[in-house]
Amino acid sequence: MGAGGPRRGEGPPDGGWGWVVLGACFVVTGFAYGFPKAVSVFFRALMRDFGAGYSDTAWVSSIMLAMLYGTGPVSSILVTRFGCRPVMLVGGLLASAGMILASFATRLLELYLTAGVLTGLGLALNFQPSLIMLGLYFERRRPLANGLAAAGSPVFLSALSPLGQQLLERFGWRGGFLLLGGLLLHCCACGAVMRPPGPGPARPRRRLLDVAVCTDRAFAVYAVTKFLMALGLFVPAILLVNYAKDAGVPDTDAAFLLSIVGFVDIVARPACGALAGLARLRPHVPYLFSLALLANGLTDLSSARARSYGALVAFCVAFGLSYGMVGALQFEVLMAAVGAPRFPSALGLVLLLEAVAVLIGPPSAGRLVDALKNYEVIFYLAGSEVALAGVFMAVATNCCLRCAKAAPSGPGTEDAEAEGDSEPLPAVEEEPSNLETPGELSPRGGPMEPEVEAGPRLAAESV
């Protein structure tokens, strides 16, 4: 049972229509991560028209991100009940409708409800199902597929920000919102191509949200790691431009620093995905993920006192490389840890935890900057949190694997483990899963689940 074990029935195709699914996932990931940040180019115009401050206007992006992360369990339930394609089609319509309605807003509250809540919910209903479908189509090439899909984030951020500026100058923020709403209809096209990899008969409905995945040691290790990571991962990028300006860097050069991070990120994500797919490295992907987190944290710590422009450029290169590695590996590690059947529920719960961390980390860092008038402390704090996440991931993974090796083996062991407090490994599948049929996701692993991980799960033998 595992990468080299026997298998009955078909597995993920690792190609064919999967490349179309990968392209759609690239687009959806780009919109999900890039759109909330790209909307910030309209903030000055919104502040002028509504007579509001920057913090009040910035809540539009904050609410959008909170909906993207915080509605993870809702998306999991809907995917399990209705399938990926219908959920993504509805999500695309909601995302588009939110921006179109926002173009007619006369108060900030209306912007919060339309561009914030409605568009954020629509993006969430596209993002999570696209990752689920990607896991069903790729097994041997799954690390590379995850890396390529994750590259959509920096690519779209680099494209949407200048596009938003052009729309603002030509049509104003109302016309820009209206046209961006039309652009988001591409999410519907992405949802339309998400057909299941193979036919499967309808089966009785199981749980809609498998909260029992929380008892899985591999999931618990990953969830704690992600929470610690999210507390500090995004802080340096958010404060980088202001930090550079405070150090005396001209505005144009300071803004270009983020572009450097983006360019390096674009290259790092698919490259790291290809690296993680190598036969010798794939069983050790959790440790590679730990290394990426540790490198990112140490980059923050070592650059806390960087004041010259050359030092800041070096920081951006190192940060973009480690940040891209984290982005390429984060969902690959989760897929390998919990398996395809429980991945929808696990992803939804992890995104909810990440939403809490995101709402705590960057706002707290901003308050500390206002109170201390010192960016060094923020870099030290953020770097320590991310580095701690990497150390915890490596140590906890190693401890779980040691416990697995120390576990007794022999006749009757499987029966004894079945009676314990840990969950069994997913059974070998009879046929691939079809998420388009309601109720086909099994929280415990059943005959219809595809075996999608080629490397061992994070501490798989411990459960």
Side-chain angles (χ1 to χ4, degrees), residues 241 244-257 309 312:
V241 175
K245 291 179 180 178
D246 187 61
V249 176
D251 291 358
T252 304
D253 293 338
F256 184 69
L257 291 174
Y309 190 69
L312 289 174

Side-chain angles (χ1 to χ4, degrees), residues 47-112:
M47 292 165 59
R48 182 186 64 248
D49 286 7
F50 291 105
Y54 182 83
S55 59
D56 294 332
T57 309
W59 271 105
V60 175
S61 291
S62 299
I63 294 173
M64 198 180 294
L65 285 171
M67 294 298 294
L68 175 64
Y69 289 116
T71 57
V74 176
S75 182
S76 296
I77 292 173
L78 293 176
V79 166
T80 306
R81 178 65 182 87
F82 300 105
C84 291
R85 183 157 44 185
V87 172
M88 291 186 67
L89 290 172
V90 172
L93 292 175
L94 289 178
S96 176
M99 293 304 296
I100 292 174
L101 292 175
S103 67
F104 299 98
T106 57
R107 297 181 299 167
L108 276 178
L109 178 61
E110 296 174 0
L111 282 178
Y112 296 159

Side-chain angles (χ1 to χ4, degrees), residues 115-288:
V117 175
L118 205 57
T119 298
L121 177 60
L123 293 175
L125 295 181
N126 273 270
F127 176 59
Q128 189 169 333
S130 68
L131 291 179
I132 295 171
M133 291 298 296
L134 192 68
L136 293 180
Y137 269 92
F138 288 92
E139 175 183 352
R140 182 173 56 87
R141 295 173 175 170
R142 194 180 65 205
L144 175 61
N146 273 311
L148 290 172
S153 175
V155 169
F156 269 62
L157 180 59
S158 301
L160 287 176
S161 294
L163 174 62
Q165 185 64 39
Q166 290 294 320
L167 293 178
L168 176 63
E169 294 175 358
R170 290 173 177 260
F171 306 104
W173 70 266
R174 294 186 184 275
F177 276 19
L178 186 65
L179 292 173
L180 287 177
L183 188 65
L184 284 173
L185 286 174
H186 285 84
C187 292
C188 294
C190 293
V193 306
M194 294 292 180
R195 72 187 189 198
R203 291 178 173 85
R205 189 178 306 169
R206 294 166 187 91
R207 278 173 278 181
L208 295 178
L209 183 66
D210 183 16
V211 294
V213 72
C214 296
T215 63
D216 189 320
R217 292 180 186 176
F219 174 80
V221 170
Y222 182 85
V224 174
T225 301
K226 272 287 258 180
F227 183 83
L228 293 173
M229 179 201 80
L231 286 175
L233 183 66
F234 310 108
V235 172
I238 293 174
L239 299 179
L240 177 61
V241 175
N242 288 332
Y243 175 56
K245 291 179 180 178
D246 187 61
V249 176
D251 291 358
T252 304
D253 293 338
F256 184 69
L257 291 174
L258 277 181
S259 300
I260 296 175
V261 174
F263 294 148
V264 177
D265 193 2
I266 290 173
V267 177
R269 296 197 183 209
C272 184
L275 183 67
L278 297 178
R280 291 186 178 182
L281 287 181
R282 190 167 185 185
H284 309 291
V285 165
Y287 293 108
L288 189 60

